[in-house]
């Protein structure tokens, strides 16, 4: 059951789109229902200015209470024991004590004797204290009374989550080629830089489907421009890459450069499409190109305008984009840089040397520039009314993605675009995927990547993944191998790094064969992974999920923080520690271990339920297949464009077991019966799922 309580006069975020199963309840009924789960609700905390909150929900935990969800956030799969704040942030330091990342995903499920789900539909700051201040107390704090709160009851984690996923609408589905492997780097400056990457991948025989173009392709980092010196004939270049089976995926940032000579800026200004400041002028802040203006994506006409701007690119044959800096990121504003300069001047004009304290204060001013202090100083127009940014802050990235998606849908004549962004709110999952932002080449961030996937899936962001290898910091070959061996299972599979760290394209390292084979395995798995993805999207289920979802009564499974279930049949247990030859794996049931030594050579062994130490070499990929399941593997390819047979016959529902190599794990309880089938889903040109029955006798 799904109950919705409306308090005050909330903004319609359009996070929820399917309302037919929702029962509207009053505040009193809500208090009652929450109380039946053991929770309390307080509405008597009006004084926000003193750090108190308008609404508070609390829940007393017992020893075993666990929390799942909250999408993109730090720490474990079970969110218990820390505090998480929904306040979208451009956060280049993803360390354990951060409360906020780029997304606001206010859905969680409380796992207890009586389980329930909670969704706080409010686009400003929301705090989830899950045992941070008081070890056994959950407190959700909302700074306003204008909010929708959803309470979902159900028989287990999976069913509660499925109901939630239904009300928020079907997740974005990428095109099949979006499951290919992509190479990216902040620093590919010219067409030749990109040609070199493609040539090296092709001559190393490492599969590749796309190269991402970071802001260097632009003229002075300005949106919707192309640097014509570095990319003299963009359209031909797009075509040349396509002939090699590679698609180019440009970045687009949220803010538009203040350049009076540019038509886009002028048009946005004349039409009043930008967010305004306190004196009703255009609000400007510094981002990559310098001073920029922020399109008011919350307005439909601004979204239509912005979406249409992509046409210059789609006309050149571009079919995918990534959206960035849409928290929105603000590097500096006039007020904070002026105050900082004044403080510098004041210090410089002193007769004595600055004290360490004064220097620290100055450094703190600069380091403190991340936009949050500005969010109360600019404005949107929502339903004709002026509204302060901080009240709708978490909707900004969502609506940029929506603008982009709607534009691309118009321009690509029915083909699915590849699209993902950085900042999001629940609702954005219908339009695009997300990547997890500026992580680092740290082993702990590989583990973080593993742990983030279940929460993201619960909140609808099925198409997600991290910067494989890490964005900041220096990668090492072993880290990149281990990370790649995990990322071949995440829908978004992209190697990306920043401009001042070691280059991390796979061909730069010693064991090219290992990279080639691991990525080739991804390509062998694409039909299966895409099929599992389509099923998860259409059935409102999780493509990747915590073991707790399928083995709720098994304490060891519930506690497992470093293994994931994928679709119907697979369990992943990635290696995420340096200098280890394997890892401990917990099997909640008997499973078939498949160890791929290369993409085509593998060995299998049956393991009983329980704890095991499994050896996993640096060049190997180990997965586990559940009983009574089969795993179909396609033939290896270097790009999805070569998967013609699969695409052509798959769409017609004519794929057969002969098209695949099949690994089966028969259940001995089935006796002599050795018949297993897998319902492989493909998509036809009308975007409808088509089923191919793959039978192993
Ligand atoms: C941001 C993005 C990163 C990108 C960089 C330059 O830091 O998160 O992925 O490379 O901006 O555009």
């Amino acid at each position: 059951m799904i109950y919705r309580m409306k308090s005050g006069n909330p903004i319609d975020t359009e996070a929820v789109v399917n309302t037919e199963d929702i029962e509207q309840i009053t505040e009193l009924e809500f208090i009652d229902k929450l109380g039946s789960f053991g929770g309390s609700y307080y509405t008597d905390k009006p004084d926000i200015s003193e750090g108190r909150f308008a609404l508070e929900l609390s829940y007393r935990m017992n020893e075993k209470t666990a929390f799942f969800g909250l999408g993109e956030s730090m720490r474990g799969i079970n969110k218990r024991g820390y505090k998480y704040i929904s306040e979208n942030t451009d956060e280049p330091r993803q360390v354990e004590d951060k409360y906020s990342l780029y997304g606001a995903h206010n859905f969680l499920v409380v796992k207890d004797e009586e389980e329930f789900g909670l969704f706080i539909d409010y686009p400003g700051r929301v705090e989830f204290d899950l045992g941070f201040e008081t070890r056994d107390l959950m407190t959700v704090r909302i700074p306003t009374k204008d909010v929708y709160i959803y309470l979902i009851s159900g028989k287990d984690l999976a069913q509660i989550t499925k109901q939630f996923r239904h009300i928020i609408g079907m997740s974005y589905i990428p095109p099949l080629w979006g499951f290919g492997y992509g190479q990216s780097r902040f620093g590919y400056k010219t067409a030749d830089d990109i040609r070199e990457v493609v040539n090296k991948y092709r001559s190393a025989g490492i599969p590749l489907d796309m190269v991402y173009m970071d802001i260097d392709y632009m003229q002075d980092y300005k949106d919707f421009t192309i640097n014509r010196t570095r990319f003299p004939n963009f359209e031909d270049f797009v075509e040349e890459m396509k002939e090699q089976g590679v698609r180019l995926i440009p970045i687009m940032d949220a803010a538009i450069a203040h350049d009076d000579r540019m038509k886009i800026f002028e048009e946005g200004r004349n039409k009043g499409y930008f967010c305004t400041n306190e004196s009703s002028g255009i609000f400007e802040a510094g981002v990559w190109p310098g001073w920029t203006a922020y399109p008011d994506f919350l307005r439909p006409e601004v979204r239509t305008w912005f979406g249409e701007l992509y046409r210059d690119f789609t006309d050149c044959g571009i079919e995918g984009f990534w959206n960035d800096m849409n928290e929105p990121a603000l590097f500096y504003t006039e007020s904070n840089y002026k105050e900082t300069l004044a403080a510098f001047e004041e210090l410089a004009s002193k007769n004595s040397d600055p004290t360490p304290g004064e220097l620290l204060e100055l450094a703190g001013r600069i380091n403190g520039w991340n936009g949050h202090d500005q969010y109360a100083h600019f404005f949107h127009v929502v339903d004709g009314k002026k509204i302060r940014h901080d009240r709708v802050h978490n909707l900004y990235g969502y609506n940029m993605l929506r603008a982009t998606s709607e534009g691309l849908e118009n321009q690509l004549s029915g083909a699915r675009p590849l699209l993902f962004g950085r900042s999001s709110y629940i609702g954005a999952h219908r339009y695009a995927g997300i990547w997890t932002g500026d992580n680092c080449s740290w082993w702990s961030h590989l583990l973080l990547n593993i742990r983030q996937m279940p929460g993201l899936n619960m909140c609808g962001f099925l198409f997600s993944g991290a910067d494989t290898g890490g964005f900041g910091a220096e990668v090492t070959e072993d880290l990149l191998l281990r990370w790649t061996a995990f990322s071949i299972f995440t829908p978004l599979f992209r190697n990306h790094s920043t401009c001042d760290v070691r280059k991390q394209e796979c061909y730069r390292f010693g064991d090219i064969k290992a990279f080639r084979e691991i990525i080739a395995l991804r390509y062998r798995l694409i039909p299966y992974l895409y099929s599992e993805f389509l099923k998860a999207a259409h059935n409102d289920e999780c493509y990747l999920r915590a073991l707790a979802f399928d083995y709720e009564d098994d304490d060891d499974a519930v506690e497992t923080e470093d293994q994931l279930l994928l679709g119907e049949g697979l369990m992943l247990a990635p290696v995420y520690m340096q200098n280890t030859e394997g890892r401990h794996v917990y099997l909640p049931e008997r499973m078939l271990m498949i160890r791929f030594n290369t993409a085509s050579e593998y060995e299998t062994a049956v393991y009983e339920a329980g704890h095991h130490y499994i050896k996993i070499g640096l060049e190997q990929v180990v997965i586990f297949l559940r009983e009574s399941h089969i795993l179909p593997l396609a033939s290896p390819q270097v790009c999805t464009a070569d998967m013609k047979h699969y695409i052509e016959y798959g769409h017609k529902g004519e794929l057969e077991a002969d098209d695949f190599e099949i690994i089966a794990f028969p259940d001995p309880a089935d006796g002599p019966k050795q018949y297993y089938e897998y319902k492989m889903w493909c998509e036809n040109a009308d975007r409808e799922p088509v089923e191919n029955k793959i039978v192993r006798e």
Side-chain angles (χ1 to χ4, degrees):
M1 280 302 294
I2 309 170
Y3 306 99
R4 167 158 77 181
M5 190 268 289
K6 179 180 179 185
S7 161
N9 196 11
I11 286 166
D12 183 7
T13 63
E14 294 179 67
V16 170
V17 287
N18 294 321
T19 51
E20 70 283 355
D21 296 335
I22 300 175
E23 188 182 324
Q24 308 290 336
I25 54 173
T26 63
E27 196 165 57
L28 281 178
E29 286 167 330
F30 176 75
I31 293 174
D32 216 41
K33 291 253 179 297
L34 188 67
S36 71
F37 290 111
S40 319
Y41 180 66
Y42 304 96
T43 57
D44 56 348
K45 308 211 165 182
D47 195 354
I48 309 167
S49 60
E50 286 181 12
R52 295 170 71 194
F53 290 82
L55 296 181
E56 247 184 47
L57 266 104
S58 68
Y59 179 78
R60 186 68 66 180
M61 311 170 200
N62 67 38
E63 265 171 25
K64 282 192 162 182
T65 310
F67 298 92
F68 295 92
L70 292 186
E72 182 184 59
S73 46
M74 291 301 301
R75 301 226 168 189
I77 294 178
N78 174 359
K79 309 312 287 183
R80 181 173 177 160
Y82 209 61
K83 180 163 77 174
Y84 310 88
I85 300 179
S86 289
E87 187 169 51
N88 293 350
T89 303
D90 172 11
E91 182 52 79
R93 284 191 58 75
Q94 301 183 9
V95 288
E96 270 195 41
D97 63 347
K98 296 290 176 178
Y99 303 126
S100 311
L101 293 175
Y102 309 86
H105 307 142
N106 300 342
F107 169 65
L108 60 79
V109 184
V110 181
K111 179 180 178 335
D112 218 323
E113 275 136 34
E114 276 229 53
E115 299 179 343
F116 63 97
L118 257 186
F119 173 46
I120 312 293
D121 192 8
Y122 171 64
R125 181 189 163 104
V126 181
E127 254 187 58
F128 294 87
D129 175 338
L130 307 181
F132 175 78
E133 273 171 29
T134 306
R135 196 159 63 99
D136 62 351
L137 192 68
M138 162 183 114
T139 314
V140 180
R141 306 186 181 98
I142 310 161
T144 171
K145 287 190 170 164
D146 298 326
V147 61
Y148 287 111
I149 302 181
Y150 294 76
L151 190 65
I152 307 174
S153 63
K155 74 173 168 41
D156 55 29
L157 293 172
Q159 200 227 356
I160 293 170
T161 304
K162 191 177 162 97
Q163 291 179 75
F164 173 67
R165 289 277 304 285
H166 173 70
I167 65 169
I168 60 172
M170 189 164 84
S171 296
Y172 158 79
I173 296 174
L176 172 87
W177 56 264
F179 266 60
Y181 171 64
Q183 180 63 55
S184 183
R185 178 159 172 100
F186 180 9
Y188 298 149
K189 289 198 161 52
T190 63
D192 279 345
D193 289 348
I194 293 175
R195 280 190 188 101
E196 183 187 324
V197 171
V198 173
N199 290 341
K200 294 216 161 133
Y201 266 100
R202 288 285 177 256
S203 53
I206 306 175
L208 181 75
D209 251 80
M210 46 234 155
V211 175
Y212 289 85
M213 301 175 75
D214 208 321
I215 50 174
D216 294 291
Y217 79 80
M218 300 176 183
Q219 182 68 48
D220 305 321
Y221 299 156
K222 292 175 185 165
D223 269 6
F224 301 106
T225 64
I226 294 168
N227 184 316
R228 297 285 173 189
T229 320
R230 299 182 192 165
F231 294 88
N233 196 333
F234 188 63
E235 193 167 356
D236 290 351
F237 182 53
V238 175
E239 190 49 41
E240 175 193 326
M241 289 293 111
K242 275 199 185 165
E243 276 161 20
Q244 300 204 44
V246 171
R247 286 180 167 88
L248 297 173
I249 313 294
I251 192 172
M252 208 57 81
D253 287 345
I256 299 289
H258 180 148
D259 180 340
D260 294 322
R261 293 159 309 175
M262 272 184 68
K263 189 167 156 262
I264 295 173
F265 178 73
E266 203 192 290
E267 207 172 72
R269 178 169 55 191
N270 293 345
K271 294 194 165 154
Y273 283 170
F274 296 125
C275 293
T276 51
N277 59 24
E278 275 147 340
S279 41
S280 299
I282 295 178
F283 171 79
E284 292 194 11
V287 197
W288 297 119
W291 294 112
T292 58
Y294 293 80
D296 186 357
F297 292 118
L298 273 52
R299 281 147 64 189
E301 66 276 21
V302 179
R303 290 199 291 271
T304 307
W305 168 71
F306 193 86
E308 195 47 33
L309 297 174
Y310 287 89
R311 197 175 285 279
D312 286 351
F313 287 79
T314 49
D315 281 351
C316 291
I318 295 289
E319 296 158 90
F321 288 87
W322 47 310
N323 280 174
D324 193 19
M325 311 308 276
N326 47 0
E327 292 69 34
L330 322 171
F331 292 167
Y332 50 85
T333 59
E334 199 172 342
S335 64
N336 64 15
Y337 95 74
K338 281 198 170 146
E339 279 163 23
T340 310
L341 277 186
F344 261 110
E345 277 161 16
E346 195 188 319
L347 214 54
S349 66
K350 270 183 37 172
N351 288 330
S352 55
D353 283 342
T355 64
E358 284 168 334
L359 288 173
L360 205 64
E361 200 225 296
L362 215 53
R365 275 176 181 277
I366 295 176
N367 290 334
W369 290 359
N370 72 357
H372 283 280
D373 57 336
Q374 298 301 316
Y375 292 152
H377 301 290
F378 69 96
F379 301 86
H380 300 262
V381 177
V382 178
D383 295 334
K385 278 192 251 114
K386 192 168 169 180
I387 184 155
R388 218 169 72 187
H389 176 78
D390 57 343
R391 307 244 158 93
V392 288
H393 171 66
N394 294 333
L395 295 180
Y396 196 76
Y398 162 17
N399 283 290
M400 178 190 185
L401 284 168
R402 183 174 176 179
T404 307
S405 159
E406 288 170 351
L408 297 179
E409 286 291 338
N410 286 336
Q411 293 153 36
L412 292 180
S413 357
R416 286 193 183 278
L418 176 68
L419 178 63
F420 58 89
R422 199 170 67 170
S423 185
S424 59
Y425 185 81
I426 289 171
H429 71 286
R430 297 191 299 270
Y431 300 98
I434 53 176
W435 95 102
T436 58
D438 296 350
N439 60 2
C440 281
S441 301
W442 298 341
W443 290 86
S444 60
H445 275 180
L446 165 53
L447 177 59
L448 177 66
N449 181 189
I450 298 165
R451 291 179 170 166
Q452 283 176 326
M453 300 315 289
L456 286 167
N457 274 255
M458 287 173 68
C459 295
F461 294 94
L462 302 186
F463 190 72
S464 56
D467 286 350
T468 299
F471 176 73
E474 308 285 331
V475 78
T476 54
E477 182 173 358
D478 53 350
L479 174 59
L480 187 58
L481 278 167
R482 293 298 197 194
W483 208 321
T484 306
F486 170 62
S487 293
I488 61 170
F489 298 100
T490 62
L492 170 60
F493 179 25
R494 176 177 81 143
N495 172 325
H496 179 48
S497 59
T498 190
C499 49
D500 54 0
V501 298
R502 181 177 185 179
K503 296 187 169 156
Q504 69 184 34
E505 295 82 9
C506 299
Y507 53 74
R508 294 185 188 276
F509 298 89
D511 197 348
I512 289 182
K513 175 165 185 273
F515 285 107
R516 177 168 58 234
E517 296 299 328
I518 293 172
I519 298 176
L521 178 59
R522 159 71 165 216
Y523 279 71
R524 297 201 71 192
L525 287 165
I526 283 179
Y528 180 76
L529 300 180
Y530 195 64
S531 162
E532 288 302 301
F533 186 97
L534 287 174
K535 288 180 193 173
H538 283 274
N539 298 330
D540 300 320
E541 283 165 359
C542 294
Y543 165 92
L544 285 170
R545 62 197 182 279
L547 270 51
F549 268 58
D550 293 39
Y551 308 98
E552 277 209 37
D553 301 327
D554 174 340
D555 288 350
D556 288 11
V558 174
E559 268 183 31
T560 301
E561 285 278 341
D562 57 1
Q563 298 173 205
L564 300 175
L565 295 167
L566 189 162
E568 302 178 4
L570 294 186
M571 186 181 78
L572 312 178
V575 177
Y576 54 88
M577 285 201 284
Q578 193 157 29
N579 301 325
T580 46
E581 291 181 350
R583 54 162 288 169
H584 286 96
V585 178
Y586 176 64
L587 299 189
E589 58 174 312
R590 194 167 176 267
M591 291 187 188
L592 182 74
M593 182 210 64
I594 311 169
R595 176 184 286 116
F596 289 95
N597 296 311
T598 67
S600 43
E601 281 164 35
Y602 62 88
E603 55 204 65
T604 59
V606 175
Y607 280 83
E608 297 302 324
H611 293 268
H612 301 275
Y613 184 82
I614 309 280
K615 288 230 169 206
I616 307 172
L618 262 181
E619 70 296 342
Q620 294 173 341
V621 176
V622 167
I623 52 177
F624 297 85
L625 184 62
R626 295 168 85 168
E627 221 150 33
S628 306
H629 284 86
I630 60 176
L631 178 68
L633 295 163
S635 54
Q637 305 294 350
V638 294
C639 61
T640 54
D642 291 340
M643 298 173 71
K644 289 202 184 68
H645 179 81
Y646 164 77
I647 295 168
E648 198 178 318
Y649 291 97
H651 288 184
K652 290 192 268 172
E654 288 175 7
L655 286 172
E656 286 176 17
D658 288 352
D659 300 308
F660 298 93
E661 180 178 346
I662 287 175
I663 304 178
F665 184 26
D667 181 347
D670 290 348
K673 170 181 164 278
Q674 293 281 301
Y675 173 92
Y676 292 100
E677 64 176 44
Y678 174 70
K679 292 187 175 128
M680 179 167 292
W681 283 26
C682 297
E683 220 179 35
N684 65 20
D686 296 325
R687 299 184 176 185
E688 289 153 352
V690 174
E691 197 164 280
N692 294 267
K693 219 184 264 175
I694 312 291
V695 175
R696 149 74 152 73
E697 302 195 54

